[in-house]
Amino acid sequence: RREQKGSRHVYEKKGAKQKFIPLKSQEPSPQVSKKYPFVLDVNYNLDYYRGLSLAKEIKGLRMLRDPRWLRLNPEDARSLELNDGDKIEVESPSGKIQGVVKITESIRPGIVEASFLWNEDSMFSAAHLFLSSASPSLLPVKIRRRGK
């Protein structure tokens, strides 16, 4: 049974009531600064099977979800004068990664999203940036274009 009370929902589970309190969305981490104006977030790539990158091996899957993509909001891409397919470098206090711009509305302004993967080419792997970081999933970063 579920009853709605304002923004709180009460759920009954075998005689015991449990409260569900939804969290409000927050702005990117306050760690951003003039030196590192963006926040790097990671998604956990599900395109791996026993250490094999399926997107790397299967062209059709790579067209849908390339693990080298660094996803940006269109506003941020415009402000940095970047287009889909441009090569960029993302630098944090703990290191650098390289990738290819993928512009998408699904990313909030101020966020850069990368795949968290253990890649044989460490320049495309965001994993090593988080090993030496205090934050488990968000890092302040800056973005610069690499050569064409």
Side-chain angles (χ1 to χ4, degrees):
R1 198 178 96 205
R2 183 177 121 188
E3 303 167 18
Q4 188 169 351
K5 294 183 178 180
S7 66
R8 297 174 186 235
H9 301 280
V10 178
Y11 291 88
E12 193 173 301
K13 183 178 180 182
K14 294 184 183 177
K17 289 186 177 184
Q18 298 177 357
K19 291 183 180 180
F20 170 72
I21 303 170
L23 297 176
K24 292 184 179 177
S25 175
Q26 295 180 350
E27 292 302 311
S29 171
Q31 301 168 332
V32 297
S33 64
K34 284 185 179 184
K35 185 174 181 179
Y36 299 108
F38 295 94
V39 174
L40 177 66
D41 188 14
V42 292
N43 68 14
Y44 292 89
N45 193 328
L46 301 177
D47 302 329
Y48 277 81
Y49 179 73
R50 296 187 176 187
L52 176 67
S53 169
L54 300 178
K56 187 175 178 181
E57 300 296 324
I58 303 168
K59 184 179 179 182
L61 189 54
R62 187 171 51 248
M63 291 169 59
L64 297 173
R65 292 191 299 253
D66 191 329
R68 297 174 306 136
W69 282 344
L70 294 168
R71 289 168 286 285
L72 292 171
N73 181 281
E75 289 176 34
D76 293 332
R78 269 191 301 277
S79 71
L80 295 167
E81 298 178 359
L82 294 170
N83 298 306
D84 264 341
D86 286 351
K87 295 178 182 180
I88 60 172
E89 181 175 84
V90 174
E91 181 181 344
S92 79
S94 56
K96 299 176 186 179
I97 60 170
Q98 296 176 1
V100 177
V101 173
K102 178 65 176 173
I103 299 172
T104 176
E105 292 280 344
S106 67
I107 303 298
R108 292 176 51 191
I111 302 287
V112 181
E113 186 183 77
S115 293
F116 185 88
L117 53 94
W118 297 101
N119 194 328
E120 60 275 0
D121 185 354
S122 65
M123 286 310 298
F124 291 105
S125 176
H128 73 279
L129 298 180
F130 291 91
L131 293 176
S132 59
S133 167
S135 171
S137 66
L138 297 174
L139 279 178
V141 295
K142 61 183 173 183
I143 301 169
R144 73 176 185 84
R145 181 188 306 266
R146 288 185 10 223
K148 295 191 178 195

